[in-house]
PDB file of all heavy atoms in Angstrom:
ATOM      1  N   VAL A 393       8.917 -16.265   1.924  1.00 77.00           N
ATOM      2  CA  VAL A 393       8.622 -16.811   0.556  1.00 77.00           C
ATOM      3  C   VAL A 393       9.906 -17.217  -0.133  1.00 77.00           C
ATOM      4  O   VAL A 393       9.999 -18.305  -0.696  1.00 77.00           O
ATOM      5  CB  VAL A 393       7.876 -15.763  -0.273  1.00 77.00           C
ATOM      6  CG1 VAL A 393       7.812 -16.221  -1.749  1.00 77.00           C
ATOM      7  CG2 VAL A 393       6.453 -15.557   0.253  1.00 77.00           C
ATOM      8  N   GLY A 394      10.938 -16.345  -0.061  1.00 74.00           N
ATOM      9  CA  GLY A 394      12.231 -16.696  -0.682  1.00 74.00           C
ATOM     10  C   GLY A 394      12.800 -17.967  -0.111  1.00 74.00           C
ATOM     11  O   GLY A 394      13.285 -18.825  -0.860  1.00 74.00           O
ATOM     12  N   GLY A 395      12.700 -18.140   1.202  1.00 80.00           N
ATOM     13  CA  GLY A 395      13.188 -19.370   1.845  1.00 80.00           C
ATOM     14  C   GLY A 395      12.362 -20.575   1.460  1.00 80.00           C
ATOM     15  O   GLY A 395      12.907 -21.670   1.228  1.00 80.00           O
ATOM     16  N   LEU A 396      11.023 -20.410   1.362  1.00 82.00           N
ATOM     17  CA  LEU A 396      10.141 -21.521   0.954  1.00 82.00           C
ATOM     18  C   LEU A 396      10.417 -21.948  -0.473  1.00 82.00           C
ATOM     19  O   LEU A 396      10.314 -23.119  -0.821  1.00 82.00           O
ATOM     20  CB  LEU A 396       8.681 -21.098   1.129  1.00 82.00           C
ATOM     21  CG  LEU A 396       8.177 -21.042   2.560  1.00 82.00           C
ATOM     22  CD1 LEU A 396       6.753 -20.453   2.581  1.00 82.00           C
ATOM     23  CD2 LEU A 396       8.166 -22.422   3.195  1.00 82.00           C
ATOM     24  N   VAL A 397      10.757 -20.966  -1.327  1.00 79.00           N
ATOM     25  CA  VAL A 397      11.088 -21.300  -2.714  1.00 79.00           C
ATOM     26  C   VAL A 397      12.343 -22.161  -2.771  1.00 79.00           C
ATOM     27  O   VAL A 397      12.437 -23.130  -3.516  1.00 79.00           O
ATOM     28  CB  VAL A 397      11.284 -20.023  -3.589  1.00 79.00           C
ATOM     29  CG1 VAL A 397      11.823 -20.373  -4.950  1.00 79.00           C
ATOM     30  CG2 VAL A 397       9.981 -19.292  -3.732  1.00 79.00           C
ATOM     31  N   VAL A 398      13.316 -21.843  -1.922  1.00 80.00           N
ATOM     32  CA  VAL A 398      14.528 -22.633  -1.874  1.00 80.00           C
ATOM     33  C   VAL A 398      14.212 -24.054  -1.417  1.00 80.00           C
ATOM     34  O   VAL A 398      14.730 -25.054  -1.948  1.00 80.00           O
ATOM     35  CB  VAL A 398      15.560 -21.986  -0.913  1.00 80.00           C
ATOM     36  CG1 VAL A 398      16.793 -22.927  -0.710  1.00 80.00           C
ATOM     37  CG2 VAL A 398      16.032 -20.658  -1.482  1.00 80.00           C
ATOM     38  N   VAL A 399      13.309 -24.190  -0.415  1.00 84.00           N
ATOM     39  CA  VAL A 399      12.976 -25.500   0.142  1.00 84.00           C
ATOM     40  C   VAL A 399      12.083 -26.318  -0.831  1.00 84.00           C
ATOM     41  O   VAL A 399      12.340 -27.512  -1.058  1.00 84.00           O
ATOM     42  CB  VAL A 399      12.269 -25.345   1.516  1.00 84.00           C
ATOM     43  CG1 VAL A 399      11.755 -26.697   2.000  1.00 84.00           C
ATOM     44  CG2 VAL A 399      13.212 -24.730   2.518  1.00 84.00           C
ATOM     45  N   THR A 400      11.048 -25.661  -1.342  1.00 81.00           N
ATOM     46  CA  THR A 400      10.079 -26.376  -2.172  1.00 81.00           C
ATOM     47  C   THR A 400      10.494 -26.414  -3.653  1.00 81.00           C
ATOM     48  O   THR A 400       9.988 -27.291  -4.416  1.00 81.00           O
ATOM     49  CB  THR A 400       8.684 -25.734  -2.091  1.00 81.00           C
ATOM     50  OG1 THR A 400       8.732 -24.416  -2.628  1.00 81.00           O
ATOM     51  CG2 THR A 400       8.223 -25.665  -0.645  1.00 81.00           C
ATOM     52  N   GLY A 401      11.326 -25.455  -4.041  1.00 77.00           N
ATOM     53  CA  GLY A 401      11.684 -25.365  -5.456  1.00 77.00           C
ATOM     54  C   GLY A 401      10.574 -24.796  -6.306  1.00 77.00           C
ATOM     55  O   GLY A 401      10.603 -24.907  -7.555  1.00 77.00           O
ATOM     56  N   SER A 402       9.588 -24.172  -5.702  1.00 77.00           N
ATOM     57  CA  SER A 402       8.388 -23.724  -6.431  1.00 77.00           C
ATOM     58  C   SER A 402       7.898 -22.389  -5.833  1.00 77.00           C
ATOM     59  O   SER A 402       7.563 -22.328  -4.657  1.00 77.00           O
ATOM     60  CB  SER A 402       7.287 -24.799  -6.371  1.00 77.00           C
ATOM     61  OG  SER A 402       6.061 -24.280  -6.813  1.00 77.00           O
ATOM     62  N   TYR A 403       7.778 -21.379  -6.703  1.00 74.00           N
ATOM     63  CA  TYR A 403       7.140 -20.135  -6.288  1.00 74.00           C
ATOM     64  C   TYR A 403       5.688 -20.327  -5.897  1.00 74.00           C
ATOM     65  O   TYR A 403       5.276 -19.907  -4.801  1.00 74.00           O
ATOM     66  CB  TYR A 403       7.203 -19.088  -7.415  1.00 74.00           C
ATOM     67  CG  TYR A 403       8.524 -18.357  -7.545  1.00 74.00           C
ATOM     68  CD1 TYR A 403       9.366 -18.604  -8.606  1.00 74.00           C
ATOM     69  CD2 TYR A 403       8.881 -17.377  -6.615  1.00 74.00           C
ATOM     70  CE1 TYR A 403      10.571 -17.924  -8.748  1.00 74.00           C
ATOM     71  CE2 TYR A 403      10.078 -16.695  -6.742  1.00 74.00           C
ATOM     72  CZ  TYR A 403      10.931 -16.962  -7.820  1.00 74.00           C
ATOM     73  OH  TYR A 403      12.113 -16.288  -7.923  1.00 74.00           O
ATOM     74  N   PRO A 404       4.859 -20.974  -6.736  1.00 80.00           N
ATOM     75  CA  PRO A 404       3.428 -21.052  -6.403  1.00 80.00           C
ATOM     76  C   PRO A 404       3.149 -21.829  -5.131  1.00 80.00           C
ATOM     77  O   PRO A 404       2.235 -21.468  -4.367  1.00 80.00           O
ATOM     78  CB  PRO A 404       2.808 -21.727  -7.645  1.00 80.00           C
ATOM     79  CG  PRO A 404       3.926 -22.316  -8.370  1.00 80.00           C
ATOM     80  CD  PRO A 404       5.128 -21.488  -8.100  1.00 80.00           C
ATOM     81  N   GLU A 405       3.897 -22.891  -4.877  1.00 83.00           N
ATOM     82  CA  GLU A 405       3.643 -23.657  -3.637  1.00 83.00           C
ATOM     83  C   GLU A 405       4.009 -22.800  -2.409  1.00 83.00           C
ATOM     84  O   GLU A 405       3.287 -22.809  -1.438  1.00 83.00           O
ATOM     85  CB  GLU A 405       4.500 -24.940  -3.650  1.00 83.00           C
ATOM     86  CG  GLU A 405       3.993 -25.974  -4.628  1.00 83.00           C
ATOM     87  CD  GLU A 405       4.799 -27.278  -4.539  1.00 83.00           C
ATOM     88  OE1 GLU A 405       5.591 -27.407  -3.591  1.00 83.00           O
ATOM     89  OE2 GLU A 405       4.656 -28.111  -5.448  1.00 83.00           O
ATOM     90  N   ALA A 406       5.074 -22.054  -2.500  1.00 83.00           N
ATOM     91  CA  ALA A 406       5.461 -21.166  -1.402  1.00 83.00           C
ATOM     92  C   ALA A 406       4.379 -20.096  -1.166  1.00 83.00           C
ATOM     93  O   ALA A 406       4.019 -19.800  -0.036  1.00 83.00           O
ATOM     94  CB  ALA A 406       6.794 -20.515  -1.711  1.00 83.00           C
ATOM     95  N   LEU A 407       3.838 -19.571  -2.243  1.00 82.00           N
ATOM     96  CA  LEU A 407       2.852 -18.491  -2.131  1.00 82.00           C
ATOM     97  C   LEU A 407       1.532 -19.019  -1.586  1.00 82.00           C
ATOM     98  O   LEU A 407       0.829 -18.331  -0.870  1.00 82.00           O
ATOM     99  CB  LEU A 407       2.651 -17.812  -3.472  1.00 82.00           C
ATOM    100  CG  LEU A 407       3.905 -17.155  -4.068  1.00 82.00           C
ATOM    101  CD1 LEU A 407       3.633 -16.594  -5.449  1.00 82.00           C
ATOM    102  CD2 LEU A 407       4.450 -16.090  -3.138  1.00 82.00           C
TER     103      LEU A 407
END
Side-chain angles (χ1 to χ4, degrees):
V393 169
L396 287 173
V397 171
V398 173
V399 173
T400 65
S402 168
Y403 278 109
E405 288 183 13
L407 300 176

